[in-house]
Amino acid sequence: MVRPGRTRSARGPKDWGTAAEDLASRSDIAAKLYATHGPPRAIRRTRPADRFEMLARAIAFQQLSGRAAGTIWSRVIDLVGEVDPHAFAATTHDELRSAGLSNAKARSLADLSERTIDGRLDLAATSRMHDDAVVEHLTSVRGIGPWSAQMFLMFSLGRTDVWPTGDVGVRNGWMRATGTSVTLTPEELGHVGEPFRPYRSVLAWWCWQEADTRTPGT
């Protein structure tokens, strides 16, 4: 059972401990997760100059296990050197493929680079946008869907109420935390998260720890 929570809104890294304590006071499951994993780490606000890297990394991590994604991302870093849009724009499609990226991901990184360079994608402005507006802005980039946008909200903008219901690690972590073998649909998982507003990012992070899932923020 989840007890009603306070309505205040957390705005940044300084609030993660308070947010985790709040959830732990409202739910036995959250209390257990808090005792095991503590408050979230690696969820932060990044400088605008670092946000391109966050998105590029999220693209590389799409639909892969944490270990495999981390290996491929390391190869990409070795290939391009400095992670900025100009470095990616100067790297050919075949070179990106040689690092282990799929055709689709290599094209997505090229589109991300071009849009950032020509200004169609304004990553600095995302700090001032509502969550839904950020998702709409980012998903204009080829290959960036809701999941990548949600990772950006959490691990680059430090937003506290992101609940990625399509994430396998979140789903598996929730199953482990609750001791169930029943696989929930994204819609069902959405209902699960409702009582944990406005700190669903904390719950998501705990689920990843339960599932031992590496995220783009680590």
Side-chain angles (χ1 to χ4, degrees):
M1 178 179 179
V2 181
R3 293 172 285 281
R6 296 184 288 274
T7 58
R8 69 175 183 274
S9 177
R11 296 299 301 168
K14 68 180 181 180
D15 297 313
W16 293 117
T18 301
E21 291 173 3
D22 185 13
L23 292 191
S25 72
R26 292 158 47 189
S27 160
D28 292 339
I29 292 174
K32 181 184 75 171
L33 291 170
Y34 180 49
T36 303
H37 304 295
R41 301 177 297 278
I43 301 181
R44 60 195 182 278
R45 291 182 185 177
T46 60
R47 300 176 305 160
D50 296 327
R51 292 174 186 170
F52 173 85
E53 180 174 358
M54 175 65 233
L55 279 178
R57 186 181 175 116
I59 288 171
F61 271 65
Q62 287 175 354
Q63 299 177 331
L64 290 175
S65 67
R67 188 178 300 275
T71 298
I72 291 174
W73 181 244
S74 295
R75 292 174 184 163
V76 171
I77 296 298
D78 290 341
L79 176 66
V80 301
E82 186 177 2
V83 184
D84 67 28
H86 294 281
F88 271 89
T91 305
T92 68
H93 179 85
D94 288 341
E95 287 173 332
L96 290 174
R97 292 279 289 125
S98 72
L101 293 170
S102 65
N103 275 311
K105 289 182 180 180
R107 293 192 184 99
S108 294
L109 287 169
D111 190 45
L112 172 65
S113 302
E114 292 169 6
R115 287 173 180 269
T116 303
I117 291 170
D118 67 23
R120 284 177 291 166
L121 186 68
D122 187 349
L123 296 179
T126 55
S127 296
R128 304 184 296 275
M129 296 179 183
H130 185 275
D131 289 1
D132 291 342
V134 172
V135 171
E136 182 178 358
H137 189 54
L138 296 184
T139 53
S140 65
V141 178
R142 178 187 183 123
I144 292 185
W147 181 85
S148 296
Q150 289 170 329
M151 296 304 100
F152 182 87
L153 284 169
M154 289 181 67
F155 294 106
S156 195
L157 299 183
R159 301 293 172 86
T160 62
D161 196 36
V162 181
W163 184 233
T165 58
D167 187 279
V168 174
V170 168
R171 182 183 66 204
N172 291 342
W174 179 257
M175 290 169 61
R176 292 186 184 185
T178 56
T180 180
S181 59
V182 177
T183 301
L184 299 181
T185 66
E187 182 179 2
E188 290 169 333
L189 200 57
H191 292 308
V192 162
E194 283 299 314
F196 296 92
R197 290 180 180 270
Y199 301 130
R200 290 178 297 172
S201 296
V202 176
L203 182 64
W205 188 86
W206 281 335
C207 288
W208 282 317
Q209 306 318 299
E210 284 288 298
D212 193 24
T213 298
R214 186 178 180 186
T215 68
T218 59

